[in-house]
Amino acid sequence: GEDVEQSLFLSVREGDSSVINCTYTDSSSTYLYWYKQEPGAGLQLLTYIFSNMDMKQDQRLTVLLNKKDKHLSLRIADTQTGDSAIYFCAESISNFGNEKLTFGTGTRLTIIP
Amino acid sequence: EAQVTQNPRYLITVTGKKLTVTCSQNMNHEYMSWYRQDPGLGLRQIYYSMNVEVTDKGDVPEGYKVSRKEKRNFPLILESPSPNQTSLYFCASSSRTGEQYFGPGTRLTVT
């Protein structure tokens, strides 16, 4: 079955880049997602990447996908205090993309002033 | 405004007392799902629905029921709640290929 792993905690100084890593086991993943959860809130989709892509950039966010190693990363440039949150990676193995997502445990990002 | 709503947001109940958490979306999405979030475990899918009257089990369906009689609503039913169902529950909806929109969450405590 699918398994998605992330480290639980990451601390970064304000202004530095944050890199959050994720590994997954199912090589038939079609879409891979990054979600952000702020305290007391639901999940907000940050970005996603289709499995035939290596990289996707969206403003301060860069997603890198290494299919051979089944490794996904999210880089946040110029990290700000508003980036403090829990970040979840998720994979979908569906051809449609959306009926079943498998989530990692989440990485809590703490910003050091 | 496009949104997924859940009610109630907070619920404290006792073991064995049936409860329903409602979920509604106003985006005409085909897909809807329920997840539970527990510390150190991330989000795990309970049930999902690909359209009206079409539902299927996710990873942790035991102790839960769902129904999808209308496209916009996808209630989660706990017939006989137990303390191990204390958790934070999220409903989500999406189109076939679009983003999943999550509700604000329902924090359930079963004593």
Side-chain angles (χ1 to χ4, degrees):
Chain A
E2 310 91 33
D3 193 20
V4 179
E5 293 190 357
Q6 303 176 236
S7 54
L8 291 178
F9 303 100
L10 176 66
S11 295
V12 173
R13 291 206 173 276
E14 189 174 1
D16 287 351
S17 291
S18 305
V19 179
I20 304 170
N21 295 301
C22 171
T23 57
Y24 59 97
T25 57
D26 199 314
S27 58
S28 56
S29 295
T30 52
Y31 293 90
L32 294 130
Y33 302 84
W34 283 105
Y35 283 86
K36 177 182 181 182
Q37 184 182 33
E38 297 186 49
L43 275 73
Q44 173 196 358
L45 180 66
L46 283 179
T47 186
Y48 66 92
I49 189 167
F50 191 52
S51 58
N52 66 357
M53 298 169 64
D54 298 323
M55 186 183 91
K56 182 177 180 181
Q57 187 153 4
D58 184 2
Q59 299 182 330
R60 292 192 299 125
L61 305 178
T62 303
V63 178
L64 295 177
L65 175 60
N66 181 328
K67 280 200 77 173
K68 175 175 166 290
D69 295 338
K70 300 190 187 69
H71 183 266
L72 181 74
S73 68
L74 173 69
R75 179 176 179 269
I76 306 173
D78 187 25
T79 308
Q80 304 298 310
T81 53
D83 295 323
S84 290
I86 301 175
Y87 291 81
F88 292 92
C89 71
E91 66 169 348
S92 168
I93 60 168
S94 163
N95 287 331
F96 300 121
N98 276 305
E99 69 267 28
K100 187 178 190 308
L101 293 183
T102 300
F103 284 82
T105 55
T107 299
R108 184 180 294 275
L109 176 62
T110 301
I111 312 305
I112 305 164
Chain B
E1 181 192 352
Q3 59 181 355
V4 178
T5 56
Q6 296 178 226
N7 281 293
R9 294 288 314 279
Y10 302 90
L11 179 59
I12 301 173
T13 190
V14 296
T15 298
K17 186 177 180 183
K18 180 179 178 179
L19 67 92
T20 298
V21 184
T22 64
C23 173
S24 183
Q25 49 97 2
N26 62 1
M27 296 165 278
N28 202 37
H29 283 161
E30 296 95 332
Y31 292 178
M32 296 185 77
S33 289
W34 276 103
Y35 296 87
R36 60 178 287 173
Q37 182 180 10
D38 301 290
L41 295 176
L43 277 81
R44 294 176 293 168
Q45 192 180 51
I46 302 170
Y47 268 95
Y48 64 94
S49 170
M50 294 172 70
N51 216 322
V52 174
E53 303 290 3
V54 180
T55 62
D56 207 349
K57 296 177 181 178
D59 295 320
V60 288
E62 294 78 20
Y64 304 94
K65 284 175 54 176
V66 292
S67 69
R68 187 95 182 271
K69 294 187 170 59
E70 306 163 281
K71 200 170 187 179
R72 63 183 291 126
N73 296 323
F74 190 45
L76 179 69
I77 302 153
L78 284 73
E79 296 268 5
S80 183
S82 62
N84 65 10
Q85 292 178 298
T86 292
S87 188
L88 179 58
Y89 291 87
F90 289 100
C91 179
S93 77
S94 67
S95 62
R96 286 184 70 189
T97 56
E99 170 183 350
Q100 282 215 9
Y101 288 80
F102 281 79
T106 295
R107 187 167 291 281
L108 172 65
T109 303
V110 183
T111 61

